[in-house]
């Protein structure tokens, strides 16, 4: 069975930093794209960033220069490093592991709260 677990969410001050982790098991992790999505209260879930199997990355415009997605295939883990956090970054962050047009897997999410 496939298991995807996010961790690292926390309450953080404006301007602070946080690193989220996405640990996967039960799949050949290095063959999949890993993406991060987030959902603020009362809002739709939005795609934030992703990293392909070849290491190519893409970012939502509003997080470019502040967020960095990386992966460590030996550990079956992807990371989201977030800097200069703002209240607008608050939400539940979900890890999504997928092949385009094929199966996908989601974690349960980890809460990030940015406040003064």
């Amino acid at each position: 069975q496939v298991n995807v677990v996010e961790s690292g969410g926390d309450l953080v001050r404006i301007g602070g930093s946080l690193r989220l982790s996405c640990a996967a098991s039960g799949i050949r992790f290095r063959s999949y794209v890993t993406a991060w999505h987030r959902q603020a209260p009362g809002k739709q879930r939005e795609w934030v960033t992703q990293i392909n199997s070849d290491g190519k990355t893409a970012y939502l415009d509003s997080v470019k220069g502040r967020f960095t997605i990386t992966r460590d295939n030996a550990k079956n883990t992807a990371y989201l490093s977030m800097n200069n956090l703002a209240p607008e970054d608050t939400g539940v962050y979900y890890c999504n592991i997928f092949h385009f047009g094929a199966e996908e897997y989601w974690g349960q999410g980890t809460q990030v709260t940015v406040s003064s």
Side-chain angles (χ1 to χ4, degrees):
Q1 63 182 29
V2 178
N3 194 36
V4 179
V5 180
E6 304 96 336
S7 62
D10 204 353
L11 173 65
V12 64
R13 297 297 183 95
I14 294 171
S17 299
L18 210 56
R19 187 177 78 158
L20 308 182
S21 297
C22 172
S25 62
I27 58 170
R28 191 172 184 273
F29 179 77
R30 66 181 63 202
S31 298
Y32 286 75
V33 180
T34 298
W36 288 94
H37 297 241
R38 67 187 180 189
Q39 187 168 22
K43 296 184 178 181
Q44 291 184 298
R45 186 179 300 182
E46 66 177 349
W47 172 90
V48 176
T49 182
Q50 66 188 52
I51 183 166
N52 294 343
S53 59
D54 63 357
K56 182 180 179 181
T57 60
Y59 296 90
L60 180 68
D61 283 346
S62 63
V63 308
K64 286 181 179 178
R66 299 190 300 118
F67 289 13
T68 302
I69 186 170
T70 57
R71 66 191 299 159
D72 186 341
N73 291 329
K75 297 181 178 179
N76 285 1
T77 302
Y79 305 94
L80 181 62
S81 295
M82 304 182 292
N83 298 314
N84 195 24
L85 286 162
E88 304 88 83
D89 297 314
T90 292
V92 179
Y93 283 69
Y94 297 92
C95 183
N96 177 218
I97 300 174
F98 66 98
H99 284 295
F100 289 106
E103 72 276 8
E104 64 177 353
Y105 307 97
W106 293 86
Q108 292 298 307
T110 186
Q111 177 71 46
V112 173
T113 303
V114 185
S115 177
S116 62

